[in-house]
Tab-separated table of all heavy atoms in Angstrom:
chain	number	residue	atom	x	y	z
A	1	ILE	N	3.221	-0.828	-7.899
A	1	ILE	CA	1.916	-0.486	-8.342
A	1	ILE	C	1.945	0.141	-9.803
A	1	ILE	O	2.902	0.728	-10.231
A	1	ILE	CB	1.299	0.673	-7.389
A	1	ILE	CG1	2.205	1.950	-7.472
A	1	ILE	CG2	1.185	0.017	-6.003
A	1	ILE	CD1	1.684	3.056	-6.608
A	2	GLY	N	0.710	0.030	-10.427
A	2	GLY	CA	0.590	0.544	-11.779
A	2	GLY	C	0.412	2.172	-11.684
A	2	GLY	O	0.064	2.655	-10.564
A	3	SER	N	0.575	2.772	-12.842
A	3	SER	CA	0.435	4.282	-12.819
A	3	SER	C	-1.051	4.781	-12.430
A	3	SER	O	-1.082	5.856	-11.784
A	3	SER	CB	0.675	4.760	-14.259
A	3	SER	OG	-0.250	4.215	-15.320
A	4	GLY	N	-2.036	3.972	-12.509
A	4	GLY	CA	-3.405	4.482	-12.178
A	4	GLY	C	-3.607	4.478	-10.632
A	4	GLY	O	-4.408	5.199	-10.074
A	5	LEU	N	-2.638	3.844	-9.928
A	5	LEU	CA	-2.640	3.837	-8.515
A	5	LEU	C	-1.769	4.804	-7.804
A	5	LEU	O	-1.680	4.870	-6.680
A	5	LEU	CB	-2.443	2.512	-7.816
A	5	LEU	CG	-3.319	1.298	-8.232
A	5	LEU	CD1	-2.848	0.003	-7.793
A	5	LEU	CD2	-4.730	1.541	-7.530
A	6	ALA	N	-1.105	5.658	-8.655
A	6	ALA	CA	-0.113	6.633	-8.176
A	6	ALA	C	-0.771	7.671	-7.272
A	6	ALA	O	-0.194	8.074	-6.319
A	6	ALA	CB	0.467	7.454	-9.279
A	7	PRO	N	-2.064	7.979	-7.360
A	7	PRO	CA	-2.681	8.888	-6.309
A	7	PRO	C	-2.714	8.432	-4.935
A	7	PRO	O	-2.822	9.191	-4.036
A	7	PRO	CB	-4.183	9.115	-6.840
A	7	PRO	CG	-4.128	8.799	-8.370
A	7	PRO	CD	-3.058	7.800	-8.494
A	8	LEU	N	-2.529	7.093	-4.767
A	8	LEU	CA	-2.525	6.576	-3.461
A	8	LEU	C	-1.157	6.947	-2.704
A	8	LEU	O	-1.049	6.749	-1.480
A	8	LEU	CB	-2.609	5.028	-3.345
A	8	LEU	CG	-3.916	4.349	-3.993
A	8	LEU	CD1	-3.857	2.869	-3.869
A	8	LEU	CD2	-5.051	4.906	-3.147
A	9	LEU	N	-0.298	7.500	-3.496
A	9	LEU	CA	1.079	7.873	-2.852
A	9	LEU	C	1.109	9.362	-2.683
A	9	LEU	O	2.215	9.898	-2.238
A	9	LEU	CB	2.127	7.450	-3.870
A	9	LEU	CG	2.245	5.966	-4.146
A	9	LEU	CD1	3.394	5.707	-5.173
A	9	LEU	CD2	2.490	5.181	-2.973
A	10	LYS	N	0.013	10.070	-2.927
A	10	LYS	CA	0.105	11.533	-2.729
A	10	LYS	C	-0.124	11.986	-1.229
A	10	LYS	O	-1.091	11.291	-0.628
A	10	LYS	CB	-1.137	12.084	-3.462
A	10	LYS	CG	-1.135	13.654	-3.502
A	10	LYS	CD	-2.186	14.235	-4.359
A	10	LYS	CE	-2.099	15.771	-4.325
A	10	LYS	NZ	-3.216	16.397	-5.084
A	11	VAL	N	0.794	12.715	-0.720
A	11	VAL	CA	0.785	13.068	0.635
A	11	VAL	C	-0.083	14.413	0.745
A	11	VAL	O	0.254	15.466	0.107
A	11	VAL	CB	2.176	13.322	1.183
A	11	VAL	CG1	2.156	13.860	2.674
A	11	VAL	CG2	3.103	12.004	0.980
A	12	SER	N	-1.116	14.373	1.455
A	12	SER	CA	-2.030	15.510	1.636
A	12	SER	C	-1.422	16.593	2.633
A	12	SER	O	-0.443	16.284	3.362
A	12	SER	CB	-3.285	15.053	2.243
A	12	SER	OG	-3.997	14.156	1.408
A	13	ASP	N	-1.683	17.785	2.455
A	13	ASP	CA	-1.235	18.887	3.403
A	13	ASP	C	-1.494	18.493	4.875
A	13	ASP	O	-2.638	18.178	5.168
A	13	ASP	CB	-1.915	20.173	3.013
A	13	ASP	CG	-1.535	20.659	1.629
A	13	ASP	OD1	-0.561	20.253	1.161
A	13	ASP	OD2	-2.301	21.513	1.074
A	14	GLY	N	-0.469	18.632	5.538
A	14	GLY	CA	-0.555	18.373	7.104
A	14	GLY	C	-0.431	16.977	7.428
A	14	GLY	O	-0.419	16.603	8.480
A	15	GLU	N	-0.282	16.041	6.434
A	15	GLU	CA	-0.016	14.640	6.686
A	15	GLU	C	1.454	14.271	6.475
A	15	GLU	O	2.140	15.050	5.777
A	15	GLU	CB	-0.814	13.654	5.686
A	15	GLU	CG	-2.335	13.990	5.874
A	15	GLU	CD	-2.884	13.259	7.145
A	15	GLU	OE1	-2.237	12.442	7.643
A	15	GLU	OE2	-4.019	13.608	7.518
A	16	GLU	N	1.920	13.355	7.118
A	16	GLU	CA	3.364	12.849	7.052
A	16	GLU	C	3.489	11.788	6.033
A	16	GLU	O	4.660	11.458	5.651
A	16	GLU	CB	3.934	12.472	8.409
A	16	GLU	CG	3.917	13.514	9.437
A	16	GLU	CD	4.600	12.942	10.667
A	16	GLU	OE1	4.886	11.846	10.894
A	16	GLU	OE2	4.736	13.929	11.731
A	17	ASP	N	2.430	11.130	5.679
A	17	ASP	CA	2.512	9.955	4.745
A	17	ASP	C	1.349	9.907	3.859
A	17	ASP	O	0.360	10.570	4.190
A	17	ASP	CB	2.749	8.626	5.635
A	17	ASP	CG	3.573	7.598	4.847
A	17	ASP	OD1	3.741	7.732	3.629
A	17	ASP	OD2	3.983	6.642	5.593
A	18	SER	N	1.461	9.123	2.755
A	18	SER	CA	0.383	8.842	1.831
A	18	SER	C	-0.608	7.867	2.269
A	18	SER	O	-0.244	7.145	3.289
A	18	SER	CB	0.905	8.501	0.504
A	18	SER	OG	1.456	7.194	0.566
A	19	PRO	N	-1.831	7.790	1.732
A	19	PRO	CA	-2.743	6.798	2.242
A	19	PRO	C	-2.225	5.329	2.078
A	19	PRO	O	-2.369	4.555	3.109
A	19	PRO	CB	-3.928	6.855	1.175
A	19	PRO	CG	-3.875	8.375	0.795
A	19	PRO	CD	-2.422	8.706	0.833
A	20	LEU	N	-1.429	4.916	1.042
A	20	LEU	CA	-0.935	3.624	0.883
A	20	LEU	C	0.265	3.406	1.867
A	20	LEU	O	0.399	2.412	2.452
A	20	LEU	CB	-0.473	3.379	-0.620
A	20	LEU	CG	0.103	2.010	-0.844
A	20	LEU	CD1	-0.931	0.906	-0.470
A	20	LEU	CD2	0.546	1.861	-2.301
A	21	GLY	N	1.132	4.597	2.054
A	21	GLY	CA	2.194	4.384	2.983
A	21	GLY	C	1.697	4.186	4.432
A	21	GLY	O	2.414	3.369	5.043
A	22	LYS	N	0.642	4.766	4.713
A	22	LYS	CA	0.093	4.588	6.075
A	22	LYS	C	-0.400	3.124	6.344
A	22	LYS	O	-0.145	2.478	7.371
A	22	LYS	CB	-1.117	5.529	6.417
A	22	LYS	CG	-0.729	6.985	6.537
A	22	LYS	CD	-1.990	7.818	6.801
A	22	LYS	CE	-1.734	9.316	6.852
A	22	LYS	NZ	-2.945	10.097	7.039
A	23	GLU	N	-1.113	2.535	5.253
A	23	GLU	CA	-1.500	1.252	5.381
A	23	GLU	C	-0.403	0.201	5.429
A	23	GLU	O	-0.461	-0.712	6.180
A	23	GLU	CB	-2.415	0.900	4.183
A	23	GLU	CG	-3.741	1.711	4.173
A	23	GLU	CD	-4.680	1.336	5.393
A	23	GLU	OE1	-4.538	0.083	5.789
A	23	GLU	OE2	-5.490	2.161	5.766
A	24	ILE	N	0.671	0.376	4.655
A	24	ILE	CA	1.853	-0.511	4.811
A	24	ILE	C	2.567	-0.355	6.080
A	24	ILE	O	3.006	-1.427	6.553
A	24	ILE	CB	2.727	-0.156	3.512
A	24	ILE	CG1	2.045	-0.633	2.087
A	24	ILE	CG2	4.045	-0.851	3.663
A	24	ILE	CD1	2.899	-0.364	0.916
A	25	LEU	N	2.586	0.780	6.630
A	25	LEU	CA	3.260	0.891	7.969
A	25	LEU	C	2.427	0.273	8.867
A	25	LEU	O	2.940	-0.465	9.806
A	25	LEU	CB	3.320	2.381	8.279
A	25	LEU	CG	3.905	2.751	9.610
A	25	LEU	CD1	5.373	2.096	9.773
A	25	LEU	CD2	3.861	4.174	9.906
A	26	LYS	N	1.133	0.311	8.874
A	26	LYS	CA	0.162	-0.358	9.653
A	26	LYS	C	0.388	-2.001	9.585
A	26	LYS	O	0.256	-2.627	10.572
A	26	LYS	CB	-1.321	0.001	9.432
A	26	LYS	CG	-2.339	-0.635	10.315
A	26	LYS	CD	-3.737	-0.136	9.944
A	26	LYS	CE	-4.730	-0.715	10.872
A	26	LYS	NZ	-6.106	-0.308	10.578
A	27	CYS	N	0.479	-2.413	8.351
A	27	CYS	CA	0.890	-3.876	8.007
A	27	CYS	C	2.069	-4.248	8.839
A	27	CYS	O	2.017	-5.362	9.517
A	27	CYS	CB	0.897	-4.109	6.560
A	27	CYS	SG	1.366	-5.805	6.202
A	28	ARG	N	3.088	-3.523	8.757
A	28	ARG	CA	4.362	-3.836	9.445
A	28	ARG	C	4.156	-3.964	10.876
A	28	ARG	O	4.650	-4.960	11.658
A	28	ARG	CB	5.505	-2.853	9.073
A	28	ARG	CG	5.917	-2.946	7.615
A	28	ARG	CD	6.857	-1.745	7.372
A	28	ARG	NE	8.044	-1.847	8.177
A	28	ARG	CZ	8.742	-0.642	8.648
A	28	ARG	NH1	8.405	0.503	8.176
A	28	ARG	NH2	9.854	-0.957	9.256
């Protein structure tokens, strides 16, 4: 991913994974 999409990798408080990480796990 490009640098502008880096916020998709931010893990929110109380979450185990980032928004993009969750979607990729769902894909698998």
